[in-house]
């Protein structure tokens, strides 16, 4: 539990250092058994220490810590209820949030979309911290490991915090790529076909090596 909390804090700080969040925006969680460790509401990440751990059960009841959990707790709990995820990362990444105001699905400008399960959808807008937002996210995440939240940000999940964070970074990069390509006057980005994306997804299953 102590290691998981250290990893949650480290990931939250990394998201700020990488420019994916500003101030206390965004949030991170990790599941350990039936406990969800989550960043607290409104506390700068660089002020969090070992004694600030915040934990809730899978129904959202606080069972660890004195600080209030993030207001986006419904998002995190919805992901854990629907998937076998062990970690969730939510950011306000600039390029991804910009794209969330433009399209219902991120155009297939790169095979990185395969790392998120396919074309990345944009969840319908709902106010932050509400069950309605969690429900919209659930629909957008169907058969995916990441989505955009309209006029808000991103949500990704994974088997580890590193994997969830890598998916967030890939999603932000993908959105930045599309915005860059589509900004060239007189040109429209060429897009991959679903078959080409499927081919890339199959190749990616054997990509990388243990270390």
């Amino acid at each position: 539990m102590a290691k998981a909390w250290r990893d949650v804090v480290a990931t939250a700080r990394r998201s700020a250092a990488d420019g994916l969040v500003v101030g206390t925006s965004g949030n991170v969680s990790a599941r350990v058994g039936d406990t969800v460790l989550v960043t607290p509401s409104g506390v700068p990440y660089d002020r969090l220490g070992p004694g600030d751990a915040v934990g809730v059960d899978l129904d959202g009841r606080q069972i660890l810590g004195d600080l209030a959990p993030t207001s986006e707790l419904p998002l995190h709990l919805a992901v854990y209820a629907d998937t076998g995820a062990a970690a969730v990362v939510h950011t306000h990444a600039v390029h991804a949030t910009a794209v969330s105001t433009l399209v219902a699905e991120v155009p297939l400008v790169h095979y990185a979309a395969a790392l998120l399960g396919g074309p990345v959808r944009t969840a319908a807008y709902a106010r932050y911290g509400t069950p309605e937002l969690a429900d919209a996210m659930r629909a957008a995440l169907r058969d995916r490991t990441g989505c955009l939240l309209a006029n808000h940000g991103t949500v990704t999940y994974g088997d580890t915090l590193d994997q969830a964070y890598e998916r967030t970074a890939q999603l932000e990069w993908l959105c930045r790529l599309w915005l860059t390509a589509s900004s060239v006057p007189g040109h429209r980005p060429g897009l991959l076909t679903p078959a080409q994306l499927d081919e890339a997804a199959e190749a990616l299953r054997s990509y990388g090596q243990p270390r």
Side-chain angles (χ1 to χ4, degrees):
M1 194 73 73
K3 181 185 182 304
W5 174 247
R6 288 196 301 270
D7 291 345
V8 165
V9 173
T11 302
R13 290 175 177 169
R14 183 182 178 189
S15 69
D18 289 349
L20 300 181
V21 300
V22 175
T24 61
S25 66
N27 26 80
V28 176
S29 71
R31 179 176 176 177
V32 182
D34 291 334
T35 299
V36 175
L37 297 172
V38 63
T39 48
S41 177
V43 179
Y45 300 139
D46 60 1
R47 298 183 188 175
L48 293 175
D52 297 319
V54 177
V56 301
D57 65 18
L58 295 175
D59 293 318
R61 291 183 291 264
Q62 188 158 352
I63 56 177
L64 178 64
D66 299 318
L67 297 172
T70 173
S71 59
E72 295 290 15
L73 185 60
L75 287 182
H76 294 260
L77 295 179
V79 173
Y80 293 122
D82 290 355
T83 72
V88 177
V89 175
H90 165 50
T91 79
H92 293 177
V94 172
H95 299 92
T97 304
V99 171
S100 81
T101 71
L102 298 171
V103 296
E105 185 176 277
V106 181
L108 288 177
V109 288
H110 195 275
Y111 62 79
L115 298 170
L116 295 146
V120 177
R121 307 181 188 101
T122 301
Y125 178 79
R127 185 179 67 79
Y128 76 91
T130 61
E132 290 77 14
L133 178 58
D135 287 343
M137 176 203 68
R138 281 176 138 149
L141 278 180
R142 188 180 68 255
D143 301 322
R144 301 289 186 270
T145 55
C147 73
L148 303 182
L149 306 175
N151 304 84
H152 185 159
T154 69
V155 174
T156 59
Y157 68 87
D159 296 331
T160 64
L161 277 165
D162 282 346
Q163 186 181 59
Y165 191 85
E166 172 65 15
R167 287 169 173 165
T168 297
Q170 289 286 351
L171 178 53
E172 169 67 353
W173 180 84
L174 183 65
C175 289
R176 183 179 181 183
L177 174 65
W178 179 70
L179 285 173
T180 301
S182 61
S183 69
V184 179
H187 295 272
R188 297 178 62 183
L191 303 180
L192 300 179
T193 66
Q196 288 170 328
L197 187 67
D198 289 344
E199 181 184 27
E202 182 62 33
L204 285 168
R205 290 191 180 96
S206 59
Y207 178 79
Q209 55 187 312
R211 52 186 298 268

